[in-house]
Amino acid sequence: KVWGATAFPFGLVKEIGFESKSQKEVIEHWQRWIEMGMSGILSGLHGAGKTFALEKVRSSLSEKLYQVIGFTHTSLSASDLLSTLCQKVGVPHSSRRGQTARLLVEQWKRSGKKPVLLIDEAQNLSATSLEELRLLICARAMDEPTREGLVLCLCGDGELLPKLRLSVNAPLLSRMGYQMTLEPLEEKEVEDYLQMHFEQVGLKTLPLDAQGLTLIYQATDACPRKINQLMQHAIILMLQESENKISIEHLQKSVGKVPSIRPNKIKELH
């Protein structure tokens, strides 16, 4: 074991989660928008913690008040998307689009709960799938004009908002009431994030210096997933060289081993 740790740091350990300043703000605002019945968009870098934020919001919603439906597989055809939605809600899927929408709306009305649709990796949705989602929002609103409609939360990477701004998706975008961006970690938060991971496996002291912290911040765009991957490679290299502290050289050599990190992003450190 490394440094007497209970498990390999940054490895397959049960995550306790790290809420950055940006994540806390996103989660708080997201909950408020859903309570108001407003649909909207969350975007951010791959590995920045969007799914973590989505799950935090999902777990916070009362089962007595909301019927929450989650999607993570978004490379579905429009028909398959509706079919899967019907399965999750518990209604039969009809080959006629209008009939399917009616069955879903009737089921939501019977439940007495506010329907909330949380879609991760939404940048992969086709234009036809996005149009089906718009029609569902409209169907719910037309059926019960005095109540909030289907709450649609689209979560994706930097490609999501430009995609929604295409003219073909303008009708859906006009029904999105907010747009939030999950920002990377702040520089001080990178140290806190590393400390959390080491404490998670029983270690109290960071085995690297300030120069190493700066390199990690610059090389990874302060993105948690990239930090995890870089640290795993650096620790393995440290062990191979029979050392007990992660040096700047270990980190520099490890940068090229992480596919998502571009080595030319690193500034010269003196």
Side-chain angles (χ1 to χ4, degrees):
K1 292 181 180 180
V2 192
W3 303 295
T6 57
F8 191 88
F10 303 90
L12 299 176
V13 220
K14 182 179 179 182
E15 284 287 354
I16 59 174
F18 180 85
E19 284 190 30
S20 65
K21 177 182 176 182
S22 180
Q23 267 192 333
K24 289 177 182 177
E25 291 176 352
V26 162
I27 291 169
E28 179 182 339
H29 293 159
W30 212 351
Q31 290 168 329
R32 186 177 300 123
W33 295 134
I34 290 174
E35 289 171 3
M36 294 172 61
M38 192 178 294
S39 297
I41 304 156
L42 172 67
S43 58
L45 294 172
H46 285 289
K50 299 184 299 297
T51 301
F52 174 77
L54 186 149
E55 289 302 322
K56 286 282 288 186
V57 170
R58 179 174 183 166
S59 63
S60 73
L61 298 176
S62 168
E63 293 183 0
K64 294 181 179 179
L65 301 176
Y66 301 94
Q67 183 177 24
V68 183
I69 308 107
F71 272 87
T72 54
H73 181 43
T74 52
S75 56
L76 298 168
S77 68
S79 176
D80 288 339
L81 178 71
L82 281 179
S83 176
T84 304
L85 179 57
C86 287
Q87 282 184 330
K88 289 175 178 286
V89 174
V91 300
H93 176 241
S94 171
S95 57
R96 292 183 295 172
R97 185 169 64 184
Q99 175 73 354
T100 296
R102 186 181 65 80
L103 291 171
L104 287 167
V105 169
E106 288 178 352
Q107 174 61 24
W108 287 326
K109 186 190 298 185
R110 284 194 297 270
S111 74
K113 301 177 182 180
K114 182 185 295 183
V116 179
L117 187 53
L118 303 175
I119 302 185
D120 203 1
E121 303 296 343
Q123 74 277 356
N124 296 327
L125 289 169
S126 66
T128 51
S129 293
L130 290 169
E131 175 62 6
E132 292 294 349
L133 293 172
R134 182 190 73 83
L135 292 171
L136 279 175
I137 294 175
C138 293
R140 167 79 176 186
M142 290 175 64
D143 186 78
E144 296 186 88
T146 60
R147 298 182 60 185
E148 301 98 336
L150 167 69
V151 179
L152 176 62
C153 302
L154 299 178
C155 181
D157 63 16
E159 297 179 5
L160 176 58
L161 194 55
K163 184 172 189 175
L164 292 172
R165 284 177 173 157
L166 295 175
S167 58
V168 67
N169 296 320
L172 174 61
L173 187 61
S174 71
R175 293 185 173 274
M176 298 289 104
Y178 62 87
Q179 188 272 322
M180 300 184 292
T181 301
L182 180 59
E183 302 293 345
L185 302 179
E186 296 179 357
E187 188 164 6
K188 175 59 174 67
E189 289 178 324
V190 171
E191 182 177 356
D192 294 337
Y193 179 76
L194 293 168
Q195 187 69 56
M196 180 204 74
H197 268 279
F198 282 113
E199 289 180 356
Q200 195 176 359
V201 295
L203 302 174
K204 301 299 181 184
T205 306
L206 286 180
L208 67 164
D209 57 22
Q211 196 178 31
L213 289 171
T214 301
L215 187 147
I216 292 168
Y217 174 72
Q218 293 175 342
T220 62
D221 299 314
C223 177
R225 186 180 299 161
K226 292 181 184 180
I227 293 173
N228 295 352
Q229 294 166 340
L230 177 61
M231 290 301 295
Q232 288 172 348
H233 284 290
I235 292 171
I236 290 172
L237 185 58
M238 179 201 73
L239 294 174
Q240 289 173 341
E241 296 182 359
S242 301
E243 298 187 18
N244 59 11
K245 189 173 183 180
I246 301 169
S247 68
I248 194 76
E249 290 77 18
H250 294 143
L251 291 166
Q252 289 171 332
K253 290 177 183 177
S254 298
V255 165
K257 299 179 184 296
V258 181
S260 60
I261 295 179
R262 298 191 300 277
N264 59 1
K265 285 184 62 65
I266 303 178
K267 299 176 181 178
E268 290 294 330
L269 299 172
H270 301 285

